[in-house]
Amino acid sequence: MPRRRLHATVRTKATSLRKASRRKVVLGLVATVWPAVCPQEARGQFEDVSATSGLTAKLVSGSAGKPYILESMAGGVAFLDYDGDGWLDVYLVNGGTLESLAGREPAPSNHLYRNNRDGTFTDVTNACGVGDSGWGMGVAVADVDNNGFEDLYVTNYGPNRLFLNQGGCKFEERSRESGVDGEEWSSSAAFGDYDSDGDVDLYVANYLEFDPRDLPQDSLLCRYRGIRVQCGPRGMVPTADRLYENLGEGRFRDVSGPSGIGSAPDSYGLGVAWADFDDDGDPDAYVANDSTANFLFRNNGDGTFSEESLLAGVALSVDGKEQAGMGVDFGDYDNDGRLDLAVTNFSEDYNSLYRNEGNALFRDVSEMAGLAEPTWLKLSWGVRFADFDRDGRLDLVVADGHVYPEVDRHDFGMGYRQHNSAFRNLGGGRFSATPLSASSEQAHSSRGLASGDFDNDGAIDLLIANLDAPPTLLRGVPHGGHWLLLQLRGTESNRSAIGARVTVAAGDLVLVREVRGDGSYQSHSDLRLHFGLGQRGHLDSIEIRWPAGTRQVLAGGPADRIIEIEEPRP
């Protein structure tokens, strides 16, 4: 692949300093009066248990000054059950330094932590053999070979890594043999069975060309509000994404060309998620691109895709501008049975909420939902729909943090380290900012975010990656509400049941969820489906549409429990 000297313009928005200052004042007033007018929500939805969790591995990603774009982008995390004991374990992706790339110092390693079932974790990286020391970016998890154990795929700046889980804390590194090692700078990855053949395929979002032997030099193009900052991504060379078909037994082939994925222009891919947004029985793929139009690949059902982001209304901002997409997630926040879409963006721009209108159309409702103003000065990354207060409506959680440490030296109304965000779903299409944690959560420059129930108490917990620091672990402490947690296992479908659609009915409440752990930013979340039920303590029915096409209807029963369901065999 040809290399060239890299010069780049910086991601900027046409916003005056006066406008930014006005927004800063408004946001300051909101932060001041919120606890007074909403004392219950001021308690926070999560408890910060990072200090006692045992998750001590520091995310290393370049130098503190972050002069080059490679140093700002790492930070994937995963909730997974690698040992199949029913308790979520943790995988942390680590970065690197320019010195470690040059071999002048040891490279940091990724870390796997086993859940001790008491709120703490033990590092088992070396024992299990998953300590990859490439410059890591993200992680995706699924049972690739359908042997009953969750496998790990790690994206890197450089060759990616596939670790096949053999059980008993034994992983085999099979990247090159599998055909998914790649050589590009990869960001997020996502598993989904796009061809419905019973095993999971792999989408890899790639970012841009970066050569540490030919680093970007100071240029008038490498400026943000007149100050010298890192260059990129504009002006750098974007790279093409990859789609890999699973051939079985841990082997894949690149089908980017024949599938139509390769027909999209090279872009700065960052976030990716599979979801059946049009409810036709096969998964589609959405990609959040940095500084270029986003992609929506609609599955044609014959092994090919059509890129329809512009037609669907999810390529650009509401005023037709390219945004700097980072993270992405799907979820039915308005309980109409259709999967909606959330996308996080750069600072001095709003995070996007797209309501699924049906007929393959979305509508940008960020402003009317109350999300535009409070996210304007944030630089947001990981994002998840999650019912953290268990009232039957999906809320939003977001990981925030800037890429330019230099902003701390100027009165721009934003900091390099930022507090992460939570937005409570009020119903009627409206969200309201709420404190994430009752304690004084430390500000970080955060990246990846995963959700899951690590202590099996029916409350959603969060795992967040922080540059140059250990991760944040937040334990959910909802103030009431019944719940249900479903663990699905495929037989004719892929073993992870990724792509299964579940409809739960409880009185006047009907909730739709899909099994998927992808999305957010470079991270993987709990594959179990969490349902908040509010005051409804009894289920009427559970209906499952398995990826292989089988429909299963189960009778209801009491709430507040974890249920494991296996796909019926013919």
Side-chain angles (χ1 to χ4, degrees):
M1 186 176 294
R3 300 284 180 179
R4 64 191 73 175
R5 183 165 296 278
L6 307 176
H7 298 283
T9 56
V10 179
R11 292 163 289 203
T12 60
K13 299 294 177 182
T15 305
S16 67
L17 289 172
R18 183 171 57 185
K19 184 175 182 181
S21 298
R22 185 168 62 250
R23 291 183 181 273
K24 179 182 178 182
V25 171
V26 171
L27 293 174
L29 288 173
V30 170
T32 300
V33 303
W34 176 260
V37 298
C38 298
Q40 182 174 354
E41 274 70 20
R43 291 181 295 175
Q45 305 295 338
F46 300 90
E47 175 189 4
D48 192 337
V49 295
S50 310
T52 58
S53 67
L55 302 176
T56 59
K58 177 182 177 181
L59 171 56
V60 178
S61 191
S63 63
K66 305 289 184 281
Y68 303 107
I69 192 170
L70 177 63
E71 301 174 293
S72 294
M73 308 303 291
V77 295
F79 274 132
L80 73 158
D81 183 10
Y82 81 89
D83 51 4
D85 65 351
W87 294 76
L88 291 179
D89 311 297
V90 165
Y91 192 76
L92 305 177
V93 179
N94 220 328
T97 65
L98 294 179
E99 288 72 21
S100 66
L101 282 182
R104 293 191 292 268
E105 66 180 29
S109 169
N110 301 340
H111 291 267
L112 176 64
Y113 288 89
R114 186 187 66 237
N115 191 330
N116 297 325
R117 309 186 188 184
D118 61 0
T120 67
F121 296 80
T122 297
D123 193 327
V124 294
T125 308
N126 294 332
C128 296
V130 290
D132 181 47
S133 56
W135 194 312
M137 290 289 154
V139 56
V141 180
D143 188 353
V144 168
D145 49 8
N146 287 333
N147 70 345
F149 299 103
E150 293 185 340
D151 308 301
L152 283 165
Y153 184 72
V154 180
T155 58
N156 288 323
Y157 168 69
N160 300 326
R161 297 285 181 253
L162 176 64
F163 296 95
L164 293 181
N165 190 344
Q166 307 303 311
C169 194
K170 180 182 178 183
F171 287 80
E172 293 182 359
E173 199 275 302
R174 296 282 299 276
S175 313
R176 186 167 295 278
E177 299 92 327
S178 69
V180 292
D181 49 341
E183 294 293 336
E184 301 94 346
W185 173 358
S186 299
S187 181
S188 295
F191 285 109
D193 186 6
Y194 82 89
D195 50 6
S196 301
D197 64 351
D199 49 32
V200 289
D201 311 296
L202 177 64
Y203 192 109
V204 180
N206 292 320
Y207 194 43
L208 54 78
E209 293 186 30
F210 184 90
D211 189 347
R213 300 162 300 180
D214 188 18
L215 294 170
Q217 303 300 311
D218 191 5
S219 164
L220 291 176
L221 298 177
C222 304
R223 294 287 190 272
Y224 174 71
R225 289 194 173 191
I227 62 175
R228 170 73 171 97
V229 295
Q230 62 182 234
C231 301
R234 288 194 180 275
M236 293 182 168
V237 181
T239 50
D241 295 347
R242 294 282 183 260
L243 177 63
Y244 297 97
E245 179 191 2
N246 192 334
L247 302 176
E249 300 179 348
R251 297 176 299 113
F252 293 79
R253 67 169 178 171
D254 189 336
V255 293
S256 308
S259 69
I261 296 292
S263 64
D266 294 354
S267 296
Y268 308 111
L270 286 182
V272 59
W274 292 99
D276 185 7
F277 81 90
D278 53 4
D279 195 18
D280 64 352
D282 45 39
D284 314 289
Y286 185 85
V287 183
N289 290 317
D290 192 356
S291 303
T292 51
N294 301 319
F295 296 149
L296 178 63
F297 293 105
R298 192 175 185 185
N299 195 327
N300 298 321
D302 59 0
T304 67
F305 294 82
S306 299
E307 204 290 291
E308 299 183 0
S309 59
L310 194 60
L311 293 174
V314 293
L316 308 167
S317 70
V318 71
D319 53 356
K321 296 180 180 178
E322 294 173 340
Q323 297 175 283
M326 309 294 186
V328 56
D329 199 26
F330 282 94
D332 180 16
Y333 79 90
D334 52 1
N335 290 342
D336 65 354
R338 296 189 290 262
L339 298 182
D340 310 297
L341 176 64
V343 183
T344 56
N345 295 303
F346 203 75
S347 60
E348 296 174 278
D349 195 1
Y350 62 89
N351 290 341
S352 303
L353 178 66
Y354 298 100
R355 187 177 66 206
N356 191 333
E357 303 284 299
N359 298 318
L361 296 173
F362 290 81
R363 182 183 179 188
D364 188 329
V365 295
S366 314
E367 183 70 36
M368 66 180 69
L371 295 174
E373 182 71 33
T375 63
W376 185 263
L377 292 181
K378 293 292 189 80
L379 202 168
S380 300
W381 302 83
V383 56
R384 290 292 292 179
F385 283 107
D387 188 357
F388 53 65
D389 55 4
R390 301 195 303 209
D391 65 351
R393 296 186 293 261
L394 287 176
D395 312 295
L396 272 173
V397 288
V398 181
D400 301 304
H402 220 284
V403 294
Y404 307 140
E406 295 85 354
V407 300
D408 285 342
R409 301 197 294 266
H410 301 270
D411 186 18
F412 291 159
M414 67 192 81
Y416 174 65
R417 295 172 180 83
Q418 301 177 358
H419 292 286
N420 298 315
S421 305
F423 300 94
R424 187 167 179 259
N425 190 336
L426 304 177
R430 296 285 299 174
F431 289 80
S432 180
T434 184
L436 194 66
S437 172
S439 61
S440 54
E441 181 201 359
Q442 185 177 356
H444 291 283
S445 187
S446 299
R447 294 296 183 266
L449 180 152
S451 63
D453 186 2
F454 79 83
D455 51 2
N456 286 338
D457 66 350
I460 287 292
D461 311 306
L462 301 178
L463 178 65
I464 304 171
N466 306 309
L467 289 188
D468 306 316
T472 297
L473 182 65
L474 298 176
R475 187 179 69 86
V477 284
H479 313 303
H482 294 284
W483 58 275
L484 176 68
L485 202 61
L486 295 183
Q487 172 75 72
L488 271 58
R489 302 289 187 193
T491 54
E492 298 300 306
S493 304
N494 66 87
R495 185 63 177 163
S496 299
I498 291 174
R501 177 172 288 222
V502 177
T503 304
V504 167
D508 61 332
L509 189 65
V510 179
L511 302 176
V512 174
R513 304 280 189 271
E514 276 193 2
V515 177
R516 34 176 300 273
D518 57 14
S520 189
Y521 175 74
Q522 299 183 344
S523 297
H524 173 85
S525 295
D526 193 351
L527 284 171
R528 298 177 299 180
L529 295 177
H530 178 268
F531 298 83
L533 301 172
Q535 301 308 306
R536 306 161 189 85
H538 187 274
L539 307 172
D540 297 325
S541 65
I542 301 172
E543 181 178 349
I544 305 170
R545 186 182 72 195
W546 294 91
T550 304
R551 289 185 179 269
Q552 182 181 12
V553 179
L554 303 174
D560 304 324
R561 56 183 175 148
I562 302 173
I563 304 176
E564 183 170 331
I565 303 173
E566 185 168 274
E567 180 182 14
R569 297 180 183 274

